[in-house]
Amino acid sequence: MARRIYAELQALMAGSERWLDANLNIVASADISESDELICFVNGLDVTILEAVLPVRADAEARSAAPYAIEDDIAAPIEDIHVALGPVGTSMQDPRSVHVASTERMSEWRQWIDARPKFSHARLIAEQSVLPEDTIIAGPERYLVNLAGRAFCIDRSMPLSYFEDLFQGYDLEPPGEADILAQLVELAEASETRLDLRQGAFKAYKRLNLSGLSKWRLNAGLAASFAVIWCLSVFLETQTLQSETRQLREDMRIAYTSVFSEPPRSGDYVRAVRQAVADMGPGQALTFREASTALYRALDKVPDSELQSIRYDASQGGLSARIAYLSYGYDAQLKDALLEIGVRSEIGDARQQGQFVVGDVRLQGVVQ
């Protein structure tokens, strides 16, 4: 049966291997199997825990946007940091937990773990992240703190006089036999979330266990038979699709030559039709008043959008504007709104700026 087993990574790297299971029983390193869930607490001084509002839900996009949202709160270039994100809230305006560590330190941890295949799937968790609110753990080297909803770590070498008001009413002297790991295990088991630092480029992948494969020979033989049958069915379907594709291209050729004089040289009928339509010329040019009126009418239909800048080209009758949106995808809504008004437009690439997504749009003319 798989177990959840904990250790302090700093102690492991120093050669002191001590693992505890969820019931605080000591587990020998030799008894750990690849099916066990391993959790290593990392030194809280190496991790900063912040919060940020990220107007995207996809994890990859959120991890790309997070460093820019917290860059004023960290004393390092954003290209030198790694971020791990907490779960998404019920609303996109709810702040997400952002755990920050240097990429250099993450690389050191991963290199040490990957050199030990049995531990390669271990999760890395900041030790202060499992503390409930209004909790201080006084360790021999550092204080683990969670006050007013902010979890952080303080080096014990700093004078206590700096934190008299903050620590008032708390016992700051660790017991003689303080077992910090045991306390962290109990808190982690009681915690609803255990945020893994191994996300994105540092994501852990569990090794596939192939032991006992010989017991599945019969099942493997049946699976191979089904695979052969499936491949044959796919081959027959492919042949049918190829025949239908040839018939479809012939139908396209007949339809194209009924309108134009001869088939396109490239054989790409879709591109040929698009080019022919483009050669018919653009629609009627817009005046500045017409273009700006259309833009403001369209912006009314896009929630929480804001016009940042506007520029008009009198020679071509085109208006360009920069718009701030609440999230990705709103630029497409603006284009649809302009088309409903009867104005052709072209949108540029959107990019993250702070809490907003900024994109460019160009009004090209009246739809004919």
Side-chain angles (χ1 to χ4, degrees):
M1 182 177 178
R3 302 165 295 177
R4 186 181 296 122
I5 307 176
Y6 299 84
E8 291 183 279
L9 184 60
Q10 186 176 9
L12 293 177
M13 296 177 69
S16 175
E17 289 200 5
R18 180 168 178 257
W19 297 87
L20 297 180
D21 65 12
N23 297 318
L24 304 184
N25 298 314
I26 296 178
V27 179
S29 175
D31 296 334
I32 296 176
S33 68
E34 293 185 358
S35 63
D36 292 326
E37 179 184 356
L38 304 183
I39 295 178
C40 293
F41 294 109
V42 301
N43 192 326
L45 296 173
D46 292 321
V47 182
T48 301
I49 299 180
L50 303 169
E51 288 187 341
V53 175
L54 305 172
V56 289
R57 287 189 176 272
D59 284 344
E61 294 181 354
R63 275 195 297 271
S64 298
Y68 298 96
I70 62 171
E71 61 180 331
D72 292 338
D73 298 319
I74 55 177
I78 59 176
E79 60 270 15
D80 294 339
I81 65 170
H82 165 74
V83 297
L85 302 181
V88 180
T90 56
S91 168
M92 293 185 67
Q93 297 304 312
D94 292 339
R96 294 181 67 174
S97 181
V98 182
H99 291 202
V100 186
S102 71
T103 53
E104 180 180 2
R105 186 54 53 88
M106 287 293 300
S107 297
E108 292 177 4
W109 293 337
R110 182 176 65 178
Q111 184 178 4
W112 187 91
I113 289 174
D114 289 347
R116 293 152 181 82
K118 186 183 291 189
F119 305 153
S120 62
H121 61 283
R123 300 167 60 192
L124 301 181
I125 297 178
E127 54 189 1
Q128 71 269 34
S129 67
V130 298
L131 270 64
E133 285 196 34
D134 299 325
T135 301
I136 296 179
I137 294 181
E141 298 179 356
R142 53 194 173 274
Y143 300 104
L144 306 180
V145 184
N146 188 334
L147 296 178
R150 295 294 300 272
F152 53 96
C153 188
I154 299 176
D155 195 325
R156 285 186 66 93
S157 63
M158 299 184 66
L160 282 178
S161 58
Y162 293 172
F163 312 104
E164 287 181 353
D165 294 337
L166 183 65
F167 289 167
Q168 189 172 7
Y170 292 92
D171 183 12
L172 301 183
E173 290 301 325
E177 299 296 330
D179 190 343
I180 301 301
L181 177 58
Q183 295 182 59
L184 292 176
V185 170
E186 291 180 331
L187 293 174
E189 286 296 310
S191 176
E192 295 181 359
T193 59
R194 292 179 285 269
L195 181 56
D196 189 3
L197 290 170
R198 300 188 71 178
Q199 299 181 14
F202 295 95
K203 185 175 178 64
Y205 296 95
K206 201 162 188 176
R207 295 175 181 269
L208 182 62
N209 186 3
L210 299 178
S211 62
L213 189 60
S214 59
K215 300 178 182 179
W216 298 88
R217 288 179 180 176
L218 177 59
N219 291 340
L222 292 174
S225 300
F226 283 121
V228 171
I229 295 172
W230 178 78
C231 290
L232 288 174
S233 66
V234 170
F235 174 76
L236 293 175
E237 290 178 2
T238 302
Q239 295 298 315
T240 302
L241 287 173
Q242 289 177 348
S243 176
E244 293 178 353
T245 299
R246 287 192 292 269
Q247 182 61 46
L248 178 60
R249 291 188 64 83
E250 178 63 19
D251 293 341
M252 292 173 62
R253 186 192 66 78
I254 295 173
Y256 185 88
T257 53
S258 66
V259 178
F260 303 98
S261 58
E262 57 184 24
R265 296 179 179 178
S266 64
D268 189 340
Y269 293 96
V270 175
R271 180 178 297 177
V273 171
R274 187 185 298 119
Q275 184 62 44
V277 172
D279 291 342
M280 294 178 180
Q284 180 181 350
L286 294 166
T287 65
F288 175 76
R289 178 174 295 181
E290 292 170 338
S292 58
T293 300
L295 178 60
Y296 280 110
R297 287 177 57 192
L299 285 173
D300 288 339
K301 299 181 180 181
V302 181
D304 300 314
S305 58
E306 178 181 327
L307 178 63
Q308 291 192 337
S309 65
I310 192 170
R311 184 173 68 255
Y312 180 72
D313 187 350
S315 62
Q316 298 183 4
L319 183 141
S320 301
R322 178 161 296 174
I323 312 295
Y325 307 100
L326 184 62
S327 181
Y328 288 97
Y330 281 22
D331 51 354
Q333 294 186 23
L334 177 62
K335 183 175 183 177
D336 293 340
L338 287 167
L339 189 59
E340 291 178 5
I341 298 172
V343 175
R344 293 185 302 106
S345 63
E346 182 180 273
I347 56 177
D349 293 335
R351 60 271 186 197
Q352 187 79 35
Q353 286 190 3
Q355 298 182 10
F356 296 95
V357 175
V358 176
D360 299 323
V361 61
R362 177 175 175 79
L363 281 62
Q364 298 174 315
V366 178
V367 176
Q368 291 185 338

